[in-house]
Amino acid sequence: MPRAPHPLSRRTTLAVPAWTVLALTAAGCRWGPEEDASDAAPTSTATPDPQAAGEGSDDATYAAEALAATGDTALLVSEVATTHRGLSTPLAELTALHLAHSRLLQEAVPTPKAATAPRVPRGSRQALALVRTEERRLQRRLGDLADTVESGTFARALASMSAAVGQQLSVLPSDPGRADP
Amino acid sequence: MSAVEAMQTSLAAEHAAVYVHGVLGGQVSRSSDPALADAVEAAYRVHRGRRDQLIRLLRDAGAEPVASEVAYVLPSRVDTAARISAAAREVERRCATTYADQVGRTAAGQRRWAVTALGDAAARQLRFRGSPETFPGAEELADR
C-alpha cells in the first residue's frame, strides 16, 4: 500500500543527506535527485544575527557571558601553554578554536570584558587537568546558553561552539607525558 | 520551517543513520578491526535511541512522525575499513548539521535535546577518523 506523503517541504528534504535520497520504494527502485551536498546545509539560517543579540537585548547579555567565558578559558589555555612548553603543541588547536569563537561573539559584543588572569598550577599534569575542567565548564555553559537565548540563529552558533569544545576535549591528551613532542 | 518540521528532518536523518550504520555493522570485520566494529555498533545503538526519542517527541507534539524509507543508498562501496569509517563519519556529519538546524528552529528552553545530540554527533565523528572542527554542524560560520 503506498504511503501517504509526509508533510515535509523541499527545504526539509534537502536537509536529509543527499545520498540517502535514493529510496527503493514498494513500487520499484528509483533514483532520487542528485543534490549538491552544499544544498543540504541550512545556510540561510545558520549565520548569527548580531542584531538578534544586539545591545540592550537579553541575548546581548548572554553573548557577553559567552564571550567572557570563552575569553577566560582561552587565557588559561594560553598561560598553561606558555608555562608548560610541552603542552603548547597539543593546546594550539584549542587556542585557535577559542580565538575563532571569540571573533564571532565579538560581532554582538563590541566592548568585551577583560579576561580574568588565571593561576596556573606548577605541575603540567595539574595544569592539563585544570584545562580539562575549565573546557568542560565552558562546553556546558555554551550549551546552557544555547538553550536560553531567544535568537535561534544565535542558539545554533552557541550549540556548535559547545560541540566544538567537546571535540577538542575528546582529542586532548589526559597525560602530559604523552603530549610532549 | 517550524520546530516540528525541524524535528521531522532530524527523524528522517536518524532513520537514514540507523539504516546506514546497520549496513556498516554488517561489513566491518570485528576480528581485524574491533575498535571500528565497536564504534559502528555504538553509533547504531545511539541513533536507534535518538530515533525512538524523536518519534515520542513528535507524537507528544501531536505530529505524525515521518516514516523511514525502505532503503538508502550508501555514499560509495564500503569494502574497506577506511571506506566504512568515511561513510560513518559522513552520517555523523550530516546528523550534526541537522541537529544544529533543529537547535535554530526550536524555542528557548526546548533546545536541550538537539544541543546534546549535536555534541554527541560531533564527538562520534572523531571515532570515525574525523578531525575536530571550529563549528560542527554549522560549517559556514567558519568562513565569516
Side-chain angles (χ1 to χ4, degrees), chain A residues 3 6 8 11-12 15 18-20 22-24 37 42 45-48 100-101 104 107 144 146-150 152 155-156 160 164 167-168, chain B residues 8-9 16 20 66 68-73 90-91 94 97 100-101 103-105 108-112 122 126 132-137 140-141 144:
Chain A
R3 245 188 344 246
H6 53 74
L8 296 186
R11 178 189 176 78
T12 304
W19 44 267
T20 64
L22 172 67
L24 306 175
T45 61
T47 51
H101 290 177
L104 190 68
E107 290 182 21
D144 288 345
D147 192 35
T148 304
V149 299
E150 284 300 316
R156 181 172 176 268
S160 177
Q167 282 187 328
Q168 288 294 334
Chain B
Q8 294 279 29
T9 303
V20 175
V66 62
S68 70
E69 301 292 352
V70 176
Y72 299 84
V73 71
E90 183 63 9
V91 168
R94 304 269 180 149
T97 300
D101 194 38
V103 169
R105 298 289 176 183
Q110 298 174 346
R111 301 186 186 115
R112 179 60 63 188
L126 305 183
E133 300 163 283
T134 308
F135 291 100
E140 83 287 350
L141 295 179
R144 283 171 66 94

Short mmCIF file of all heavy atoms in Angstrom, two decimals, chain A residues 3 6 8 11-12 15 18-20 22-24 37 42 45-48 100-101 104 107 144 146-150 152 155-156 160 164 167-168, chain B residues 8-9 16 20 66 68-73 90-91 94 97 100-101 103-105 108-112 122 126 132-137 140-141 144:
data_model
loop_
_atom_site.label_atom_id
_atom_site.label_comp_id
_atom_site.label_asym_id
_atom_site.label_seq_id
_atom_site.Cartn_x
_atom_site.Cartn_y
_atom_site.Cartn_z
N ARG A 3 2.47 4.72 0.77
CA ARG A 3 2.42 5.54 1.98
C ARG A 3 1.97 6.95 1.65
O ARG A 3 2.32 7.47 0.59
CB ARG A 3 3.82 5.61 2.58
CG ARG A 3 3.90 4.94 3.91
CD ARG A 3 5.21 5.17 4.59
NE ARG A 3 6.29 5.66 3.79
CZ ARG A 3 7.38 4.96 3.53
NH1 ARG A 3 7.50 3.75 3.96
NH2 ARG A 3 8.36 5.48 2.85
N HIS A 6 4.56 12.48 3.58
CA HIS A 6 4.63 13.23 4.83
C HIS A 6 4.78 14.72 4.52
O HIS A 6 5.25 15.10 3.44
CB HIS A 6 5.78 12.73 5.70
CG HIS A 6 7.08 12.70 5.00
ND1 HIS A 6 7.79 13.83 4.72
CD2 HIS A 6 7.79 11.66 4.50
CE1 HIS A 6 8.89 13.48 4.09
NE2 HIS A 6 8.92 12.18 3.94
N LEU A 8 6.61 17.28 4.44
CA LEU A 8 7.93 17.90 4.51
C LEU A 8 8.13 18.78 3.30
O LEU A 8 7.77 18.44 2.19
CB LEU A 8 9.03 16.83 4.54
CG LEU A 8 9.02 15.91 5.75
CD1 LEU A 8 10.24 15.01 5.70
CD2 LEU A 8 9.03 16.71 7.04
N ARG A 11 12.79 22.16 1.36
CA ARG A 11 13.92 22.51 2.20
C ARG A 11 14.20 21.38 3.20
O ARG A 11 15.34 21.01 3.44
CB ARG A 11 13.60 23.79 2.96
CG ARG A 11 14.69 24.22 3.88
CD ARG A 11 14.20 25.37 4.74
NE ARG A 11 15.24 25.68 5.67
CZ ARG A 11 16.30 26.37 5.37
NH1 ARG A 11 16.47 26.81 4.17
NH2 ARG A 11 17.23 26.61 6.27
N THR A 12 13.11 20.84 3.76
CA THR A 12 13.26 19.74 4.71
C THR A 12 13.94 18.57 4.03
O THR A 12 14.86 17.97 4.56
CB THR A 12 11.87 19.32 5.21
OG1 THR A 12 11.22 20.44 5.76
CG2 THR A 12 11.99 18.22 6.24
N ALA A 15 17.63 18.85 3.52
CA ALA A 15 18.47 18.75 4.70
C ALA A 15 18.81 17.31 5.02
O ALA A 15 19.71 17.04 5.79
CB ALA A 15 17.77 19.41 5.89
N ALA A 18 22.12 13.88 1.14
CA ALA A 18 21.81 13.75 -0.29
C ALA A 18 21.90 12.30 -0.75
O ALA A 18 21.13 11.87 -1.58
CB ALA A 18 22.75 14.63 -1.09
N TRP A 19 22.84 11.58 -0.16
CA TRP A 19 23.00 10.21 -0.64
C TRP A 19 22.02 9.25 -0.02
O TRP A 19 22.07 8.05 -0.24
CB TRP A 19 24.43 9.74 -0.46
CG TRP A 19 25.03 10.09 0.85
CD1 TRP A 19 25.77 11.19 1.15
CD2 TRP A 19 24.92 9.36 2.06
NE1 TRP A 19 26.12 11.19 2.45
CE2 TRP A 19 25.63 10.07 3.04
CE3 TRP A 19 24.31 8.16 2.42
CZ2 TRP A 19 25.73 9.65 4.35
CZ3 TRP A 19 24.41 7.72 3.72
CH2 TRP A 19 25.11 8.48 4.67
N THR A 20 21.12 9.74 0.81
CA THR A 20 20.09 8.86 1.34
C THR A 20 18.78 9.05 0.58
O THR A 20 17.79 8.45 0.91
CB THR A 20 19.81 9.14 2.82
OG1 THR A 20 19.28 10.45 2.94
CG2 THR A 20 21.05 9.01 3.66
N LEU A 22 18.06 8.18 -2.38
CA LEU A 22 17.66 7.02 -3.16
C LEU A 22 16.79 6.11 -2.30
O LEU A 22 17.23 5.55 -1.32
CB LEU A 22 18.88 6.23 -3.64
CG LEU A 22 18.53 4.90 -4.32
CD1 LEU A 22 17.79 5.15 -5.62
CD2 LEU A 22 19.75 4.09 -4.55
N ALA A 23 15.57 5.98 -2.66
CA ALA A 23 14.68 5.09 -1.92
C ALA A 23 14.23 3.97 -2.84
O ALA A 23 13.87 4.19 -3.98
CB ALA A 23 13.48 5.88 -1.43
N LEU A 24 14.33 2.76 -2.32
CA LEU A 24 13.81 1.63 -3.09
C LEU A 24 12.37 1.47 -2.65
O LEU A 24 12.06 0.83 -1.66
CB LEU A 24 14.63 0.38 -2.80
CG LEU A 24 16.13 0.54 -3.00
CD1 LEU A 24 16.87 -0.71 -2.59
CD2 LEU A 24 16.44 0.87 -4.45
N ALA A 37 25.87 18.54 -2.06
CA ALA A 37 25.89 18.46 -0.60
C ALA A 37 25.72 19.82 0.04
O ALA A 37 25.14 19.94 1.11
CB ALA A 37 27.21 17.83 -0.14
N PRO A 42 21.71 24.24 5.93
CA PRO A 42 20.74 25.32 6.06
C PRO A 42 21.43 26.66 6.17
O PRO A 42 21.37 27.34 7.18
CB PRO A 42 20.01 24.96 7.36
CG PRO A 42 21.03 24.22 8.15
CD PRO A 42 21.91 23.51 7.16
N THR A 45 19.95 30.16 7.37
CA THR A 45 19.54 30.41 8.75
C THR A 45 20.70 30.21 9.71
O THR A 45 20.53 30.30 10.91
CB THR A 45 18.42 29.45 9.16
OG1 THR A 45 18.94 28.12 9.04
CG2 THR A 45 17.19 29.63 8.32
N ALA A 46 21.87 29.93 9.16
CA ALA A 46 22.93 29.49 10.06
C ALA A 46 23.83 30.62 10.55
O ALA A 46 24.54 30.46 11.51
CB ALA A 46 23.78 28.44 9.38
N THR A 47 23.81 31.73 9.89
CA THR A 47 24.72 32.79 10.31
C THR A 47 24.15 33.52 11.51
O THR A 47 22.96 33.83 11.56
CB THR A 47 24.95 33.78 9.17
OG1 THR A 47 23.68 34.17 8.68
CG2 THR A 47 25.77 33.17 8.06
N PRO A 48 24.98 33.79 12.49
CA PRO A 48 24.48 34.52 13.64
C PRO A 48 23.94 35.88 13.23
O PRO A 48 24.41 36.49 12.28
CB PRO A 48 25.71 34.69 14.52
CG PRO A 48 26.64 33.65 14.08
CD PRO A 48 26.38 33.44 12.62
N ALA A 100 38.66 31.81 17.22
CA ALA A 100 37.61 31.85 16.19
C ALA A 100 36.24 32.10 16.81
O ALA A 100 35.44 32.89 16.30
CB ALA A 100 37.61 30.54 15.40
N HIS A 101 35.98 31.45 17.93
CA HIS A 101 34.68 31.64 18.60
C HIS A 101 34.56 33.07 19.14
O HIS A 101 33.49 33.69 19.05
CB HIS A 101 34.52 30.63 19.73
CG HIS A 101 34.34 29.23 19.24
ND1 HIS A 101 34.23 28.14 20.09
CD2 HIS A 101 34.23 28.71 17.98
CE1 HIS A 101 34.07 27.05 19.38
NE2 HIS A 101 34.08 27.35 18.11
N LEU A 104 33.64 35.60 16.46
CA LEU A 104 32.22 35.58 16.10
C LEU A 104 31.38 36.28 17.17
O LEU A 104 30.50 37.08 16.86
CB LEU A 104 31.75 34.13 15.92
CG LEU A 104 30.36 33.97 15.32
CD1 LEU A 104 30.34 34.43 13.87
CD2 LEU A 104 29.90 32.53 15.39
N GLU A 107 31.11 40.09 17.34
CA GLU A 107 30.20 40.81 16.44
C GLU A 107 28.99 41.32 17.22
O GLU A 107 28.35 42.29 16.83
CB GLU A 107 29.74 39.88 15.31
CG GLU A 107 30.83 39.55 14.34
CD GLU A 107 30.34 38.67 13.19
OE1 GLU A 107 29.12 38.66 12.93
OE2 GLU A 107 31.17 38.01 12.58
N ASP A 144 24.25 25.52 27.77
CA ASP A 144 23.16 26.13 28.55
C ASP A 144 22.67 27.41 27.89
O ASP A 144 21.46 27.67 27.80
CB ASP A 144 23.63 26.45 29.97
CG ASP A 144 23.83 25.20 30.82
OD1 ASP A 144 23.32 24.13 30.42
OD2 ASP A 144 24.49 25.29 31.87
N ALA A 146 22.89 28.16 24.77
CA ALA A 146 22.19 27.82 23.52
C ALA A 146 20.72 27.50 23.80
O ALA A 146 19.84 27.79 22.98
CB ALA A 146 22.86 26.63 22.85
N ASP A 147 20.47 26.94 24.94
CA ASP A 147 19.09 26.59 25.31
C ASP A 147 18.34 27.80 25.87
O ASP A 147 17.12 27.72 26.06
CB ASP A 147 19.12 25.46 26.33
CG ASP A 147 17.74 24.84 26.53
OD1 ASP A 147 16.99 24.77 25.55
OD2 ASP A 147 17.42 24.45 27.67
N THR A 148 19.05 28.87 26.15
CA THR A 148 18.45 30.01 26.85
C THR A 148 18.15 31.20 25.94
O THR A 148 17.13 31.87 26.13
CB THR A 148 19.41 30.49 27.97
OG1 THR A 148 19.69 29.39 28.82
CG2 THR A 148 18.80 31.62 28.79
N VAL A 149 19.04 31.46 24.98
CA VAL A 149 18.90 32.69 24.19
C VAL A 149 17.62 32.67 23.35
O VAL A 149 17.08 31.61 23.04
CB VAL A 149 20.13 32.93 23.27
CG1 VAL A 149 21.39 33.08 24.11
CG2 VAL A 149 20.28 31.80 22.27
N GLU A 150 17.15 33.85 23.00
CA GLU A 150 15.91 33.96 22.21
C GLU A 150 16.16 33.64 20.73
O GLU A 150 15.39 32.93 20.11
CB GLU A 150 15.35 35.39 22.32
CG GLU A 150 14.65 35.66 23.64
CD GLU A 150 13.46 34.74 23.86
OE1 GLU A 150 12.67 34.52 22.93
OE2 GLU A 150 13.32 34.23 24.99
N GLY A 152 17.19 32.03 17.46
CA GLY A 152 17.51 30.67 17.02
C GLY A 152 18.86 30.59 16.34
O GLY A 152 19.61 29.63 16.52
N ALA A 155 21.44 30.69 18.96
CA ALA A 155 21.44 29.41 19.67
C ALA A 155 22.20 28.35 18.88
O ALA A 155 22.98 27.57 19.44
CB ALA A 155 20.00 28.95 19.90
N ARG A 156 21.98 28.35 17.57
CA ARG A 156 22.66 27.37 16.71
C ARG A 156 24.17 27.55 16.78
O ARG A 156 24.93 26.58 16.87
CB ARG A 156 22.15 27.56 15.29
CG ARG A 156 22.73 26.62 14.27
CD ARG A 156 21.99 26.80 12.94
NE ARG A 156 22.58 25.98 11.90
CZ ARG A 156 23.54 26.40 11.08
NH1 ARG A 156 24.00 27.64 11.18
NH2 ARG A 156 24.03 25.59 10.17
N SER A 160 26.90 24.92 18.39
CA SER A 160 28.03 24.46 17.59
C SER A 160 29.35 24.70 18.32
O SER A 160 30.25 23.85 18.32
CB SER A 160 28.02 25.18 16.24
OG SER A 160 29.14 24.78 15.48
N ALA A 164 32.08 21.98 19.47
CA ALA A 164 33.48 22.09 19.07
C ALA A 164 34.41 21.94 20.28
O ALA A 164 35.46 21.27 20.20
CB ALA A 164 33.73 23.45 18.40
N GLN A 167 34.60 18.34 21.06
CA GLN A 167 35.52 17.61 20.17
C GLN A 167 36.96 17.77 20.64
O GLN A 167 37.74 16.82 20.66
CB GLN A 167 35.38 18.14 18.74
CG GLN A 167 34.17 17.61 17.99
CD GLN A 167 34.20 18.03 16.53
OE1 GLN A 167 34.69 19.11 16.18
NE2 GLN A 167 33.63 17.21 15.67
N GLN A 168 37.32 19.01 21.00
CA GLN A 168 38.70 19.24 21.45
C GLN A 168 38.99 18.46 22.73
O GLN A 168 40.10 17.96 22.92
CB GLN A 168 38.93 20.74 21.68
CG GLN A 168 39.01 21.55 20.40
CD GLN A 168 40.21 21.21 19.54
OE1 GLN A 168 41.24 20.75 20.05
NE2 GLN A 168 40.11 21.41 18.25
N GLN B 8 11.10 16.63 12.36
CA GLN B 8 10.83 15.62 11.32
C GLN B 8 12.08 15.41 10.47
O GLN B 8 12.41 14.28 10.08
CB GLN B 8 9.66 16.07 10.43
CG GLN B 8 8.33 16.16 11.13
CD GLN B 8 7.62 14.80 11.27
OE1 GLN B 8 8.26 13.75 11.35
NE2 GLN B 8 6.30 14.84 11.33
N THR B 9 12.78 16.51 10.19
CA THR B 9 14.01 16.40 9.41
C THR B 9 15.06 15.59 10.18
O THR B 9 15.74 14.74 9.62
CB THR B 9 14.57 17.80 9.09
OG1 THR B 9 13.57 18.54 8.40
CG2 THR B 9 15.80 17.71 8.21
N ALA B 16 17.84 7.33 8.39
CA ALA B 16 18.94 7.04 7.47
C ALA B 16 20.17 6.56 8.24
O ALA B 16 20.85 5.61 7.82
CB ALA B 16 19.28 8.29 6.66
N VAL B 20 22.10 3.08 7.67
CA VAL B 20 23.48 3.04 7.18
C VAL B 20 24.41 2.38 8.20
O VAL B 20 25.23 1.53 7.85
CB VAL B 20 23.99 4.45 6.81
CG1 VAL B 20 25.46 4.41 6.42
CG2 VAL B 20 23.17 5.02 5.66
N VAL B 66 7.55 11.12 10.65
CA VAL B 66 7.88 10.69 9.30
C VAL B 66 8.42 9.26 9.34
O VAL B 66 9.16 8.88 10.26
CB VAL B 66 8.90 11.66 8.65
CG1 VAL B 66 10.22 11.68 9.42
CG2 VAL B 66 9.16 11.31 7.22
N SER B 68 10.42 5.84 7.84
CA SER B 68 11.70 5.64 7.15
C SER B 68 11.43 5.19 5.72
O SER B 68 10.34 4.69 5.40
CB SER B 68 12.52 4.58 7.88
OG SER B 68 11.93 3.32 7.72
N GLU B 69 12.44 5.37 4.90
CA GLU B 69 12.37 4.81 3.55
C GLU B 69 12.64 3.31 3.67
O GLU B 69 13.12 2.83 4.69
CB GLU B 69 13.42 5.48 2.65
CG GLU B 69 13.28 6.99 2.53
CD GLU B 69 12.02 7.42 1.78
OE1 GLU B 69 11.34 6.54 1.21
OE2 GLU B 69 11.72 8.62 1.78
N VAL B 70 12.37 2.61 2.60
CA VAL B 70 12.61 1.16 2.62
C VAL B 70 14.11 0.89 2.68
O VAL B 70 14.57 -0.01 3.38
CB VAL B 70 11.98 0.49 1.38
CG1 VAL B 70 12.32 -0.99 1.35
CG2 VAL B 70 10.49 0.71 1.38
N ALA B 71 14.87 1.67 1.95
CA ALA B 71 16.33 1.50 1.95
C ALA B 71 16.97 2.82 1.54
O ALA B 71 16.31 3.72 1.03
CB ALA B 71 16.74 0.40 0.98
N TYR B 72 18.25 2.92 1.79
CA TYR B 72 19.01 4.13 1.47
C TYR B 72 20.27 3.72 0.73
O TYR B 72 20.83 2.65 0.97
CB TYR B 72 19.40 4.88 2.75
CG TYR B 72 18.21 5.34 3.57
CD1 TYR B 72 17.60 4.47 4.47
CD2 TYR B 72 17.70 6.62 3.44
CE1 TYR B 72 16.50 4.86 5.21
CE2 TYR B 72 16.61 7.02 4.18
CZ TYR B 72 16.02 6.14 5.07
OH TYR B 72 14.94 6.54 5.80
N VAL B 73 20.71 4.60 -0.14
CA VAL B 73 21.93 4.29 -0.88
C VAL B 73 23.14 4.73 -0.05
O VAL B 73 23.09 5.73 0.67
CB VAL B 73 21.93 4.99 -2.26
CG1 VAL B 73 22.14 6.49 -2.12
CG2 VAL B 73 23.01 4.40 -3.15
N GLU B 90 30.52 10.50 7.59
CA GLU B 90 29.61 11.35 6.81
C GLU B 90 28.21 11.32 7.42
O GLU B 90 27.53 12.36 7.48
CB GLU B 90 29.58 10.87 5.36
CG GLU B 90 28.73 11.71 4.44
CD GLU B 90 29.21 13.15 4.30
OE1 GLU B 90 30.31 13.48 4.77
OE2 GLU B 90 28.46 13.96 3.72
N VAL B 91 27.79 10.16 7.88
CA VAL B 91 26.47 10.06 8.56
C VAL B 91 26.45 11.01 9.75
O VAL B 91 25.50 11.78 9.94
CB VAL B 91 26.20 8.62 9.04
CG1 VAL B 91 25.00 8.59 9.98
CG2 VAL B 91 25.95 7.70 7.86
N ARG B 94 26.44 14.77 8.74
CA ARG B 94 25.12 15.20 8.27
C ARG B 94 24.12 15.30 9.42
O ARG B 94 23.28 16.19 9.45
CB ARG B 94 24.60 14.23 7.21
CG ARG B 94 25.53 14.05 6.04
CD ARG B 94 25.22 15.02 4.94
NE ARG B 94 26.11 14.84 3.81
CZ ARG B 94 25.77 15.08 2.56
NH1 ARG B 94 24.57 15.51 2.28
NH2 ARG B 94 26.64 14.91 1.60
N THR B 97 24.71 18.49 11.28
CA THR B 97 24.12 19.63 10.57
C THR B 97 22.61 19.70 10.82
O THR B 97 22.05 20.78 11.05
CB THR B 97 24.40 19.49 9.05
OG1 THR B 97 25.81 19.47 8.85
CG2 THR B 97 23.80 20.64 8.27
N ALA B 100 21.94 20.82 14.41
CA ALA B 100 22.21 22.25 14.56
C ALA B 100 21.03 23.06 14.02
O ALA B 100 20.62 24.05 14.62
CB ALA B 100 23.50 22.62 13.84
N ASP B 101 20.49 22.60 12.90
CA ASP B 101 19.33 23.30 12.34
C ASP B 101 18.14 23.21 13.29
O ASP B 101 17.40 24.17 13.48
CB ASP B 101 18.98 22.69 10.98
CG ASP B 101 18.03 23.57 10.19
OD1 ASP B 101 18.19 24.81 10.25
OD2 ASP B 101 17.12 23.04 9.55
N VAL B 103 18.29 23.01 16.51
CA VAL B 103 18.55 23.97 17.60
C VAL B 103 18.02 25.35 17.20
O VAL B 103 17.32 26.02 17.95
CB VAL B 103 20.05 24.06 17.94
CG1 VAL B 103 20.33 25.24 18.87
CG2 VAL B 103 20.54 22.78 18.57
N GLY B 104 18.36 25.75 15.97
CA GLY B 104 17.97 27.07 15.50
C GLY B 104 16.48 27.25 15.29
O GLY B 104 15.99 28.37 15.24
N ARG B 105 15.77 26.14 15.15
CA ARG B 105 14.34 26.21 14.85
C ARG B 105 13.46 25.98 16.08
O ARG B 105 12.24 25.96 15.96
CB ARG B 105 13.98 25.14 13.81
CG ARG B 105 14.67 25.34 12.49
CD ARG B 105 14.11 26.53 11.77
NE ARG B 105 14.84 26.78 10.52
CZ ARG B 105 14.59 27.80 9.74
NH1 ARG B 105 13.66 28.68 10.05
NH2 ARG B 105 15.27 27.98 8.64
N ALA B 108 13.52 28.81 22.84
CA ALA B 108 14.36 28.81 24.04
C ALA B 108 13.72 27.92 25.10
O ALA B 108 12.51 27.91 25.28
CB ALA B 108 14.50 30.23 24.57
N GLY B 109 14.57 27.15 25.79
CA GLY B 109 14.08 26.25 26.83
C GLY B 109 13.67 24.88 26.30
O GLY B 109 13.39 23.97 27.08
N GLN B 110 13.64 24.73 24.96
CA GLN B 110 13.23 23.44 24.38
C GLN B 110 14.29 22.90 23.41
O GLN B 110 14.00 22.05 22.57
CB GLN B 110 11.91 23.61 23.62
CG GLN B 110 10.78 24.04 24.54
CD GLN B 110 9.51 24.34 23.76
OE1 GLN B 110 9.51 24.49 22.55
NE2 GLN B 110 8.41 24.44 24.49
N ARG B 111 15.50 23.42 23.56
CA ARG B 111 16.54 23.05 22.60
C ARG B 111 17.52 22.02 23.15
O ARG B 111 18.41 21.58 22.44
CB ARG B 111 17.35 24.29 22.20
CG ARG B 111 16.55 25.40 21.59
CD ARG B 111 17.48 26.49 21.11
NE ARG B 111 16.73 27.64 20.62
CZ ARG B 111 16.74 28.84 21.18
NH1 ARG B 111 17.50 29.06 22.26
NH2 ARG B 111 16.03 29.82 20.68
N ARG B 112 17.37 21.69 24.42
CA ARG B 112 18.39 20.86 25.09
C ARG B 112 18.65 19.56 24.33
O ARG B 112 19.80 19.15 24.17
CB ARG B 112 17.95 20.58 26.53
CG ARG B 112 18.89 19.71 27.32
CD ARG B 112 20.26 20.28 27.47
NE ARG B 112 20.27 21.53 28.21
CZ ARG B 112 21.34 22.31 28.33
NH1 ARG B 112 22.46 21.99 27.75
NH2 ARG B 112 21.27 23.43 29.01
N ALA B 122 29.01 15.26 16.93
CA ALA B 122 30.33 15.85 16.67
C ALA B 122 31.43 14.99 17.28
O ALA B 122 32.48 14.76 16.65
CB ALA B 122 30.37 17.27 17.24
N LEU B 126 34.78 11.92 15.45
CA LEU B 126 36.20 11.69 15.76
C LEU B 126 36.49 10.20 15.89
O LEU B 126 37.60 9.76 15.62
CB LEU B 126 36.59 12.42 17.04
CG LEU B 126 36.32 13.93 17.08
CD1 LEU B 126 36.84 14.53 18.37
CD2 LEU B 126 36.95 14.62 15.88
N PRO B 132 38.69 17.46 14.58
CA PRO B 132 37.88 18.50 15.23
C PRO B 132 37.62 19.66 14.29
O PRO B 132 38.46 20.00 13.45
CB PRO B 132 38.76 18.94 16.41
CG PRO B 132 39.67 17.80 16.66
CD PRO B 132 39.93 17.18 15.31
N GLU B 133 36.45 20.25 14.45
CA GLU B 133 36.06 21.37 13.59
C GLU B 133 35.87 22.62 14.45
O GLU B 133 35.69 22.52 15.66
CB GLU B 133 34.74 21.06 12.89
CG GLU B 133 34.79 19.84 12.00
CD GLU B 133 33.39 19.36 11.66
OE1 GLU B 133 32.75 18.72 12.51
OE2 GLU B 133 32.94 19.64 10.54
N THR B 134 35.84 23.76 13.79
CA THR B 134 35.61 25.01 14.52
C THR B 134 34.13 25.20 14.84
O THR B 134 33.76 25.66 15.92
CB THR B 134 36.14 26.20 13.70
OG1 THR B 134 37.49 25.94 13.33
CG2 THR B 134 36.09 27.48 14.51
N PHE B 135 33.29 24.83 13.88
CA PHE B 135 31.84 24.96 14.08
C PHE B 135 31.14 23.69 13.59
O PHE B 135 30.56 23.70 12.49
CB PHE B 135 31.30 26.19 13.35
CG PHE B 135 31.76 27.50 13.94
CD1 PHE B 135 32.80 28.21 13.37
CD2 PHE B 135 31.15 28.02 15.08
CE1 PHE B 135 33.24 29.41 13.91
CE2 PHE B 135 31.59 29.21 15.62
CZ PHE B 135 32.63 29.91 15.04
N PRO B 136 31.17 22.61 14.36
CA PRO B 136 30.49 21.39 13.91
C PRO B 136 29.01 21.65 13.67
O PRO B 136 28.34 22.31 14.46
CB PRO B 136 30.67 20.42 15.10
CG PRO B 136 31.71 21.02 15.96
CD PRO B 136 31.75 22.48 15.69
N GLY B 137 28.53 21.15 12.56
CA GLY B 137 27.11 21.30 12.23
C GLY B 137 26.77 22.66 11.66
O GLY B 137 25.63 22.88 11.23
N GLU B 140 29.49 26.86 7.82
CA GLU B 140 29.58 28.15 7.13
C GLU B 140 30.03 29.26 8.08
O GLU B 140 30.55 30.28 7.64
CB GLU B 140 28.23 28.51 6.48
CG GLU B 140 27.21 29.15 7.40
CD GLU B 140 26.60 28.15 8.38
OE1 GLU B 140 26.82 26.93 8.23
OE2 GLU B 140 25.90 28.59 9.31
N LEU B 141 29.88 29.05 9.40
CA LEU B 141 30.32 30.07 10.36
C LEU B 141 31.84 30.23 10.36
O LEU B 141 32.36 31.29 10.72
CB LEU B 141 29.83 29.72 11.77
CG LEU B 141 28.32 29.73 11.99
CD1 LEU B 141 27.99 29.35 13.42
CD2 LEU B 141 27.74 31.10 11.67
N ARG B 144 33.19 33.12 8.13
CA ARG B 144 32.80 34.53 8.35
C ARG B 144 34.00 35.41 8.64
O ARG B 144 34.98 34.96 9.16
CB ARG B 144 31.81 34.62 9.51
CG ARG B 144 30.42 34.19 9.11
CD ARG B 144 29.55 34.08 10.31
NE ARG B 144 29.33 35.37 10.92
CZ ARG B 144 28.31 36.18 10.68
NH1 ARG B 144 27.42 35.81 9.82
NH2 ARG B 144 28.17 37.34 11.29
#
